[in-house]
């Protein structure tokens, strides 16, 4: 009789409340990266290559003249693409397009617009994107994670109080959910005026799935 009672008690399933907790911390970007491109076209491959090389050297020299160190400038891509157009259903070769892209890392966001305008004035004809970054992002994430755990606990307490359940505040399981990397990208259009860059703030998010027994 004693053993039968133990078996009956052990078969009772655990009663669990599962909630998702979310936390968010806003951080000011500490650095920025922009991609500057020079695109040239020509009938034969040598012509746009040579023109592109001369122009890109001029662009890089103009950027370094602003005080940007060479180690903060890196080649991102170099492509040679044949160009065609269709006429009467036929594909006709028209020449080549050469694209040389560099990335520039900038710590002072107030100078980004001036750097873009300087590059354009010296031959750059495409600014493909700007990337905002946060240094020490893990520290911000830890704050967001703490907020997510408090949020999960608050949700569980609300559910338990509403349903009059005897909640145990010590979680039985905590699962950290995947979140997006805190990086922002923005496409930029080349302008003849001073290019305005608004860095704003980056949202760093954390999410957890937590089980509470009641």
């Amino acid at each position: 009789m004693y053993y039968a009672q133990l078996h009956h008690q052990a078969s009772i399933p655990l009663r669990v409340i599962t909630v998702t907790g979310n936390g968010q911390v806003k951080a000011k970007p500490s650095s920025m990266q922009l991609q500057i491109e020079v695109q040239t076209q020509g009938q034969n491959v040598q012509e746009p290559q040579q023109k592109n090389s001369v122009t890109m050297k001029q662009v890089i020299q103009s950027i370094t003249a602003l005080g940007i160190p060479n180690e903060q400038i890196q080649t991102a891509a170099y492509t040679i693409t044949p160009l065609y157009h269709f006429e009467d259903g036929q594909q006709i070769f028209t020449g080549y397009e050469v694209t040389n892209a560099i990335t520039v890392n900038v710590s002072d966001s107030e100078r980004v617009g001036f750097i873009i305008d300087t590059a354009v004035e010296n031959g750059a004809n495409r600014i493909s994107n700007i990337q905002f970054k946060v240094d020490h992002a893990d520290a911000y994430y830890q704050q967001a994670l703490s907020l997510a755990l408090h949020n999960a606990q608050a949700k569980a307490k609300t559910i338990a109080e509403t349903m009059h359940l005897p909640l145990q505040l010590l979680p039985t399981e905590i699962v950290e959910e995947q979140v997006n990397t805190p990086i922002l990208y923005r496409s930029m259009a080349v302008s003849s005026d001073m290019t305005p860059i608004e860095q704003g703030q980056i949202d760093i998010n954390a999410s957890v799935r937590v089980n509470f027994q009641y």
Side-chain angles (χ1 to χ4, degrees), residues 37-205:
E37 300 180 13
V38 173
Q39 295 179 332
T40 52
Q41 295 181 359
Q43 291 293 324
N44 58 69
V45 70
Q46 291 81 11
E47 177 188 345
Q49 272 188 309
Q50 293 173 359
K51 183 179 179 182
N52 194 295
S53 176
V54 172
T55 304
M56 181 54 83
K57 286 179 181 178
Q58 184 173 319
V59 169
I60 293 174
Q61 288 174 357
S62 69
I63 294 173
T64 55
L66 298 178
I68 304 298
N70 283 317
E71 55 267 24
Q72 292 180 208
I73 303 173
Q74 184 178 18
T75 298
Y78 187 90
T79 60
I80 299 175
T81 307
L83 301 176
Y84 300 91
H85 78 272
F86 286 88
E87 185 175 318
D88 297 328
Q90 292 186 343
Q91 184 177 350
I92 300 175
F93 173 76
T94 59
Y96 293 92
E97 180 178 79
V98 177
T99 301
N100 191 353
I102 61 172
T103 56
V104 181
N105 292 289
V106 185
S107 56
D108 185 358
S109 61
E110 294 183 358
R111 303 188 64 197
V112 174
F114 185 51
I115 292 171
I116 291 175
D117 294 338
T118 300
V120 172
E121 290 171 2
N122 284 274
N125 49 17
R126 180 176 169 83
I127 310 297
S128 57
N129 64 64
I130 288 183
Q131 175 179 326
F132 298 83
K133 294 184 178 181
V134 175
D135 291 339
H136 311 296
D138 188 63
Y140 289 104
Y141 177 75
Q142 298 302 327
Q143 296 177 34
L145 187 60
S146 178
L147 293 174
L149 290 167
H150 285 296
N151 179 246
Q153 189 177 59
K155 286 181 177 179
K157 289 176 66 176
T158 298
I159 293 172
E161 290 172 1
T162 302
M163 301 300 295
H164 304 291
L165 303 175
L167 182 70
Q168 298 183 23
L169 291 180
L170 186 65
T172 59
E173 183 180 27
I174 301 175
V175 179
E176 181 184 10
E177 303 284 355
Q178 293 294 323
V179 293
N180 295 328
T181 304
I183 294 178
L184 295 182
Y185 295 90
R186 290 183 186 174
S187 298
M188 298 300 300
V190 175
S191 172
S192 59
D193 298 324
M194 182 66 178
T195 304
I197 302 297
E198 299 296 335
Q199 61 178 343
Q201 290 184 315
I202 293 178
D203 295 334
I204 298 179
N205 300 290

